[in-house]
Amino acid sequence: ETGVTQSPTHLIKTRGQQVTLRCSSQSGHNTVSWYQQALGQGPQFIFQYYREEENGRGNFPPRFSGLQFPNYSSELNVNALELDDSALYLCASTLGIPGAVPRAAYEQYFGPGTRLTVT
Amino acid sequence: AQSVTQPDIHITVSEGASLELRCNYSYGATPYLFWYVQSPGQGLQLLLKYFSGDTLVQGIKGFEAEFKRSQSSFNLRKPSVHWSDAAEYFCAVGHYGGSQGNLIFGKGTKLSVKP
């Protein structure tokens, strides 16, 4: 069983630039969630993708967007980077079931994260 | 709004001593509760989970947690701490959003272990 993987590990960008982060979900998982973890804080939910569509979003502006591909991998895109976007970005995968929210949907498996630094 | 509070930012215990990390939640319905651990530079690893039933749940690495509805708490415990337990611990509540669930996390408690 392959775990959740993320790339790149670290990234340095300049304010105003755009960035794309990538995530491969755990084998058999069809739902991917993205979280932002600022220094000294707990992870905050950005959004979730299920069946290639955004399915739930936290309190993040539209410049945070994403994609999910047929193989369930996902991208997080952030436009017009701001200094406050510096954080660890975590991807989590789980198994979603159509028309249901099983308990297992909350049992999310996290990748190692991508550390983004905006200067 | 749903929220999770971890009152202790940083705790230091001696190796071999017992440990209790506090977690309080605010949630309208019966909560799904989780504890995750994060080692430096790493992602989050699930320690244990509570959905329903027995209020004392066992997890990995010798950890356990007790759900107390009357106190809105889900405290994490370990009878004897090992140096390798030094890490940051996050309590989370499952939140129903969209047609799938996600997690609301506390701010974490950093655990240091003295030799």
Side-chain angles (χ1 to χ4, degrees):
Chain A
E1 186 177 85
T2 307
V4 179
T5 60
Q6 293 186 244
S7 63
T9 306
H10 294 91
L11 205 51
I12 300 175
K13 290 286 190 178
T14 302
R15 190 171 50 183
Q17 286 187 315
Q18 178 265 342
V19 68
T20 297
L21 311 182
R22 294 177 176 83
C23 169
S24 291
S25 62
Q26 182 164 312
S27 177
H29 285 180
N30 59 8
T31 301
V32 172
S33 301
W34 286 91
Y35 291 81
Q36 180 196 65
Q37 186 179 14
L39 198 62
Q41 302 293 317
Q44 282 195 294
F45 175 67
I46 302 174
F47 47 52
Q48 184 178 83
Y49 276 82
Y50 171 64
R51 292 184 152 185
E52 301 179 51
E53 292 191 359
E54 186 180 294
N55 179 61
R57 187 179 185 94
N59 188 26
F60 281 82
R63 60 189 185 84
F64 285 79
S65 63
L67 286 172
Q68 187 180 33
F69 301 98
N71 66 354
Y72 306 130
S73 67
S74 177
E75 289 183 352
L76 164 66
N77 300 291
V78 187
N79 293 321
L81 283 166
E82 301 177 0
L83 296 179
D84 284 349
D85 295 333
S86 294
L88 180 68
Y89 288 84
L90 296 163
C91 167
S93 75
T94 189
L95 179 62
I97 297 175
V101 189
R103 293 173 173 181
Y106 299 95
E107 191 174 328
Q108 302 191 354
Y109 293 86
F110 285 82
T114 294
R115 173 71 63 187
L116 172 64
T117 301
V118 182
T119 62
Chain B
Q2 296 87 354
S3 65
V4 175
T5 302
Q6 294 180 249
D8 304 305
I9 296 173
H10 190 186
I11 285 181
T12 300
V13 300
S14 297
E15 190 168 15
S18 63
L19 170 71
E20 182 168 25
L21 302 182
R22 296 184 290 165
C23 172
N24 294 97
Y25 67 88
S26 172
Y27 195 74
T30 301
Y32 295 161
L33 294 161
F34 305 83
W35 275 98
Y36 282 85
V37 61
Q38 185 177 40
S39 298
Q42 303 295 312
L44 297 168
Q45 181 183 22
L46 179 64
L47 281 177
L48 48 77
K49 57 188 181 284
Y50 171 78
F51 291 129
S52 66
D54 192 346
T55 56
L56 185 63
V57 294
Q58 302 298 320
I60 62 171
K61 304 185 179 185
F63 285 93
E64 66 179 27
E66 186 171 12
F67 170 59
K68 293 185 177 180
R69 185 186 300 276
S70 62
Q71 299 177 17
S72 298
S73 69
F74 188 56
N75 293 350
L76 182 71
R77 301 195 294 246
K78 187 170 185 178
S80 177
V81 170
H82 188 263
W83 64 266
S84 60
D85 293 325
E88 189 142 24
Y89 292 80
F90 293 93
C91 181
V93 62
H95 172 65
Y96 182 77
S99 61
Q100 300 295 328
N102 59 71
L103 299 173
I104 296 173
F105 287 87
K107 292 187 176 182
T109 297
K110 183 177 180 180
L111 173 65
S112 297
V113 181
K114 292 190 300 185

